[in-house]
Structure formats: structure tokens, C-alpha cells
Amino acid sequence: MSIRFILGRSGVGKTRLVLNEIKAACDELPQGDPIFVIAPDQMTFHLEYQLLKQSQYPSLMRVQGLSFNRFAYRILQETGGLSRYHLNQVGLALLLQKVMNEKKDQLSLFPFYANKPGFISKVSEMIAEFKNYCVTPNQLFQTIQTQQEISNWSVQSVKKINDIAILYDEFEKLSLGRYLMTEDYYTLLSEQIAYSSTIANSDFYIDGYHLFNKQEELILLQLMKYAKSVTIVLTHDLNSTSPVFSLPSRTYSKLASQLEEMGLNYEIQELTEGNHRFKSDTALAHLEKQFMQFPTVKSEAKGVHFFQAANSRLEVEEVAKRIHHLIHKEGYAFNDIAIYTAQSEEYQELIASIFPKFEIPVFLDYKESMLIHPLMVLLYHVFDVMMNGWRHESMFMIIKTGLFMDVSQIKKQQSFYEAFQAYQRQVDVLENYCLARQIKKQDWQQKDDWVYEKYQGLGRGYVKTDDDLAVEDLLNTLKKQISSLLTSFEKKLKKLKPIRSLPLRPLPS
């Protein structure tokens, strides 16, 4: 059992040292004891990719890059503890709503907010935070009962803590032995580490963290006690008093003192030689070294630029222009460029709409709601179409999903994105026609072709141009394609028996 802290400033090669150690171990013994790299969710794939990229073998059997959550699941599969149901956000909200209704008479303030949008979500976040820092309902009750601690608190604060303690206590009683929150896996993991043979024979590297919550600390201490070796990487300079290192400094001091209390020895490997990340850019190296340092030190180094824009759109356009210049004039590749912003929600729509105009491919690191997924929109609105006589709004909600698009017509060298954009333009023409002529269900299902006239009311003497004939052909092609699918679906839907008429099968004994 060995415990090691790798400390150093940003860019000195801490992660590179870890990757090289793992590479050497895997090259020497490709099927040796397991190696776990525990990192934040967004970092695990990148670490595994880097390891595979530098490995001399086409695959890695020993190494797994996991977050704490996935690591808990992995170990509990071995030791047991996954028999209870996992509560997702919906299940958690339903259970908390049940607790709220049952304990409504005992609550002082929360009944007035129970029906407010987002209230249950905030309560679930608070309970998750309590679990992360190992705060129990009894501790909350003891806090509000201690007169000395609440002497400076307002009456409303005491009532709020009392209400959340009641809900938390009842929630724990209902879920005991039946349900698990994500945070409960950490508690189970810290209890089961001592019984895992996998952990006893494994090497652990923890990278990408500046601070650990209470549950993660308990897991780390148990790993240090029972694992083959544990290496923790922290961005910290032991010789610096800069506030930049306040969080990792606190983390290192806390873990070191706890290890001393447990009687466990550890070693410190501090990296100080050179800065590999910024060696070709003196401006960034200067900024990393002098950031939040007083007094300030001036530098004439180049490499950091500032510009001011009147609004967010102009700001994104300027960024796109500069990226376009770097790619086409200075020989950079797209994967050499990253964009960081503290307000991703504000910028993601602008980036998604502006970057394609400059032919810049971009990956946006955010999660989309399933409610706006084309398949979910189709499933939701197709029944509205059936029940409301093919109403125009519902019809075009499902048509614009693109799931009625005939993909067999896409040319070999044509990208799907270009074909989809062309289809959307065709749908716009179709929608304008349906709005202008107030197309109803019977019009969609009629056998006769629709007649397109660019200028209505000109009489029999109006001669259609080739463009008019092309639009008319497009409209009738789309009409037949869409109406045939919906008509077939409607007929099959009407033949189905209601669920109440189906016989109930007896439950297995």
C-alpha cells in the first residue's frame, strides 16, 4: 500500500506523468492488475483517449477511466448493494411530493410553497447536498433545538430548517431498504471498499479535482487504507500564498492531516521544473504565474488579446472571423481551437447559428431536453393530429421534425445536413400553401392533385411557368408522402382495442 500526492502548478506535466506511468505499466504487463483513473465525468473519455493514443497496443485491458459515480456502481456490482431501485429525478420528485402531502400538517412554511413551480426540485437538491456532506435529519433537529446556536437566527430560518428536517427524515424512512439516490451509492461504496478484492489489487489515480465533498473524502480515505496504491493529483504550489491555490491547499492539508491521524504514511512528489503547456507562449506563461499576485508585474509578451463588442452576437461573429482566419491563413486545425465561456446558455444558440455561416464545425458541450427531441415531438403531437382532425398547427409540428423526410432521395455525396436544410425549405413552401388555402383533413386525403397558382384570381388565361409547375409537383409529392403515412397510421389506430377491454392476466404466484 502506497499513498502519493503529485503537486504542481498548471502546465508542469502532472497529468502527463500519470499517463506515462500508466503507459509503462500497461506496456510491461498488458493484462496485469487493474488500474483505475478517477476523474470528473467530462474528463474520463479524454483520459482514456490519451492513454489509448500513446499505447503500443490497439486496446487497454487494465485501465478504466471512471467518475466517482460510475466507480461506485462498478464496485457495488462486485460486493452487492444494487438490489434497491435507483431514484431518477422524476421518481425523486414523486416521492418527495408524497412526503409533502403526508406531512403537510406538521410543516410551518413549506405548505405555502408546495405548489410553486420548481419547489420540489429545490428540496431534492437540498437533500442531495445534505447527503453529499453526510448531514443527517437528527443533526438538523439538534441544531434547531440548541438555543445557543439559534440565538441569532430569525424565526423564519428556524421554521425552514425544521420543515426541511421533517421532510428529510420522512424521506429517509420511506426510501430505507427500497430506493437509492445517486448520493447513496457513495455511502454504500465507502462501506463496501474493505470487502472488495478488486480494490485490494488495484492502483488508483485521482486527477481533475480541486475539492472533495465529505462522501468523496470518506471514499478516498478508505481507498488509501485498502487499495494497492493511491495517487492524488492536485494543482497546488507549496511555496505560493496566492489565493488561486486556496481550494487545493485546503484539500491537501485536510487529507494529509487525516492520513496522519490514521497512522498512514504518504509521499509528496512536487513538480516545479519548467512549464510544458505554455513553453511556446510566454504571454500565457506570464499570466499563469502572475494571476492574482500583488504587486502586479508587467510583461511585454504577446499572445493574449482583448476586444470589446457591442452585444453578444457581434462578439460571437468576431470570434468566428478570427477562427476562420486562423484556419485558412495561419494553418491551424479545428481541433486546435477551444471556446470557453461562463455563460454557455447565452452563447450556445448564437454559436450554433453563426458558426455554420463561416463553415466552422463545432461541438457544444451541453445537454438537450428530451422534450424537444424530434421523436418525442412526433409521438406527442401525432395523437393530437388524430384527435383534432389534422389541425394545421399539430400537422406542421410533426412535419417539421424531419421524420417524414424521404432519405432515399439523398444523393451519395450530399451531406445529411444539407439535405435536411433543403427539406425544411420545401416544408416552408408547403406550409405557406396550406395557410393560404386553409387546407383541411379532407384536402390532405383527396385523390386529386393540388393546384398551385402563384397569383390567385387571374382567371383562365393565366399560364403557369416552369417554376410554378415545379412547385406544384413538389407540393403534391409532399402531400402524398405525408398523407399516406398518417392515413395508414390512423386506420391501424382505429382497429386497436382500448386497454380496458383487454383481459387481465393473473399475477404469477
Side-chain angles (χ1 to χ4, degrees):
M1 174 180 58
S2 66
I3 303 168
R4 177 177 53 155
F5 290 94
I6 298 179
L7 308 178
R9 300 179 70 100
S10 178
V12 296
K14 302 182 297 298
T15 301
R16 177 56 53 192
L17 174 64
V18 168
L19 294 177
N20 289 338
E21 285 186 5
I22 296 174
K23 176 184 180 300
C26 291
D27 289 346
E28 184 180 354
L29 289 173
Q31 296 185 353
D33 291 334
I35 298 174
F36 289 96
V37 182
I38 300 179
D41 285 314
Q42 68 274 13
M43 190 176 170
T44 53
F45 172 78
H46 177 71
L47 285 172
E48 287 188 329
Y49 174 77
Q50 291 295 327
L51 285 167
L52 194 58
K53 188 177 178 181
Q54 68 182 21
S55 174
Q56 65 181 9
Y57 298 103
S59 62
L60 294 173
M61 301 297 293
R62 296 180 61 182
V63 187
Q64 293 185 59
L66 302 171
S67 63
F68 272 107
N69 187 27
R70 294 301 303 170
F71 174 63
Y73 187 80
R74 165 73 175 78
I75 297 303
L76 292 175
Q77 282 182 315
E78 175 196 354
T79 61
L82 295 177
S83 58
R84 288 176 275 180
Y85 291 105
H86 173 68
L87 279 177
N88 58 18
Q89 291 297 323
V90 177
L92 184 58
L94 291 173
L95 191 59
L96 282 174
Q97 190 65 58
K98 171 182 169 65
V99 172
M100 178 75 71
N101 293 335
E102 290 180 353
K103 294 294 181 179
K104 207 167 187 178
D105 296 337
Q106 300 180 27
L107 305 177
S108 303
L109 293 178
F110 284 2
F112 301 103
Y113 305 102
N115 296 323
K116 297 286 185 182
F119 175 74
I120 293 296
S121 175
K122 288 295 181 184
V123 174
S124 67
E125 290 176 8
M126 197 173 298
I127 290 177
E129 195 74 4
F130 287 147
K131 286 178 175 287
N132 276 331
Y133 288 91
C134 302
V135 177
T136 64
N138 288 334
Q139 288 177 314
L140 294 176
F141 285 124
Q142 291 173 5
T143 300
I144 59 178
Q145 289 171 0
T146 305
Q147 201 68 23
Q148 183 180 355
E149 293 183 10
I150 65 172
S151 58
N152 296 325
W153 293 0
S154 65
V155 176
Q156 192 175 28
S157 297
V158 175
K159 289 182 178 180
K160 282 182 180 179
I161 295 176
N162 185 66
D163 284 359
I164 191 64
I166 292 172
L167 293 177
Y168 186 17
D169 185 51
E170 184 63 22
F171 174 81
E172 288 288 86
K173 291 177 181 177
L174 279 177
S175 59
L176 182 64
R178 300 170 63 188
Y179 307 111
L180 284 174
M181 288 177 64
T182 301
E183 292 72 22
D184 292 323
Y185 288 112
Y186 290 10
T187 305
L188 287 175
L189 174 61
S190 60
E191 295 171 354
Q192 295 295 326
I193 283 176
Y195 307 104
S196 170
S197 57
T198 299
I199 289 177
N201 298 311
S202 299
D203 298 299
F204 288 86
Y205 292 89
I206 293 87
D207 193 7
Y209 293 94
H210 299 298
L211 188 68
F212 301 101
N213 62 39
K214 186 64 177 178
Q215 284 186 317
E216 291 167 347
E217 281 182 13
L218 292 175
I219 292 171
L220 285 178
L221 292 174
Q222 289 294 94
L223 287 177
M224 292 172 180
K225 190 174 181 180
Y226 293 103
K228 183 179 176 182
S229 72
V230 177
T231 298
I232 300 177
V233 180
L234 291 173
T235 303
H236 179 41
D237 187 351
L238 292 174
N239 301 316
S240 175
T241 58
S242 171
V244 172
F245 302 110
S246 60
L247 287 180
S249 174
R250 191 191 319 165
T251 301
Y252 165 70
S253 300
K254 192 171 184 180
L255 289 175
S257 62
Q258 288 175 325
L259 287 173
E260 291 172 0
E261 291 177 4
M262 295 168 62
L264 299 176
N265 297 321
Y266 62 90
E267 62 174 302
I268 302 171
Q269 184 174 355
E270 188 175 9
L271 304 182
T272 57
E273 295 182 3
N275 195 311
H276 304 286
R277 184 177 302 161
F278 307 125
K279 61 183 179 181
S280 61
D281 196 330
T282 55
L284 287 178
H286 177 80
L287 185 62
E288 188 278 331
K289 188 175 181 180
Q290 302 298 331
F291 186 66
M292 295 185 70
Q293 294 285 348
F294 299 98
T296 57
V297 178
K298 292 184 179 181
S299 173
E300 299 297 329
K302 296 181 179 180
V304 178
H305 305 277
F306 297 88
F307 73 89
Q308 186 175 358
N311 53 55
S312 300
R313 174 170 286 276
L314 293 176
E315 184 182 359
V316 174
E317 286 181 351
E318 177 63 24
V319 170
K321 291 176 184 177
R322 296 191 179 198
I323 292 174
H324 188 273
H325 175 80
L326 290 173
I327 298 298
H328 295 280
K329 300 296 183 181
E330 299 189 23
Y332 283 83
F334 285 117
N335 61 2
D336 295 330
I337 301 170
I339 299 172
Y340 292 89
T341 174
Q343 299 171 319
S344 58
E345 295 81 7
E346 178 184 347
Y347 285 96
Q348 63 192 22
E349 292 184 4
L350 291 172
I351 291 173
S353 62
I354 292 173
F355 275 41
K357 296 178 182 178
F358 292 86
E359 298 181 347
I360 300 174
V362 61
F363 167 72
L364 297 173
D365 187 15
Y366 69 95
K367 293 182 180 179
E368 290 185 347
S369 171
M370 281 297 294
L371 294 177
I372 62 174
H373 190 280
L375 181 59
M376 298 300 294
V377 174
L378 176 67
L379 291 175
Y380 181 79
H381 288 280
V382 72
F383 293 102
D384 189 37
V385 169
M386 299 296 111
M387 292 187 293
N388 294 289
W390 296 32
R391 193 162 54 95
H392 175 87
E393 291 78 7
S394 300
M395 279 290 294
F396 279 89
M397 282 293 292
I398 63 175
I399 293 172
K400 289 181 179 179
T401 60
L403 296 176
F404 287 87
M405 178 180 169
D406 186 3
V407 294
S408 64
Q409 300 300 317
I410 300 177
K411 299 177 182 178
K412 288 185 177 180
Q413 296 182 348
Q414 186 182 19
S415 70
F416 178 80
Y417 178 76
E418 292 175 351
F420 182 75
Q421 292 296 317
Y423 175 77
Q424 291 296 333
R425 289 192 290 270
Q426 294 172 358
V427 170
D428 291 340
V429 175
L430 176 65
E431 185 175 18
N432 289 336
Y433 180 86
C434 293
L435 284 171
R437 286 151 179 85
Q438 298 182 357
I439 299 298
K440 307 295 182 185
K441 178 180 179 180
Q442 58 270 21
D443 300 315
W444 281 100
Q445 294 181 325
Q446 70 180 23
K447 294 183 179 179
D448 297 334
D449 287 345
W450 288 347
V451 178
Y452 174 76
E453 294 178 351
K454 189 173 183 179
Y455 304 103
Q456 296 185 60
L458 292 182
R460 295 181 180 178
Y462 173 69
V463 179
K464 295 180 182 179
T465 64
D466 291 341
D467 291 339
D468 294 340
L469 293 173
V471 172
E472 185 174 276
D473 182 60
L474 169 66
L475 292 172
N476 285 299
T477 301
L478 291 175
K479 170 210 161 190
K480 292 174 184 177
Q481 180 183 329
I482 295 167
S483 62
S484 61
L485 291 171
L486 289 177
T487 302
S488 174
F489 177 73
E490 189 175 35
K491 288 179 180 179
K492 292 178 180 179
L493 196 64
K494 288 180 179 179
K495 291 179 182 180
L496 296 177
K497 296 180 180 179
I499 191 171
R500 292 179 181 176
S501 65
L502 298 177
L504 295 176
R505 294 182 179 180
L507 295 174
S509 56

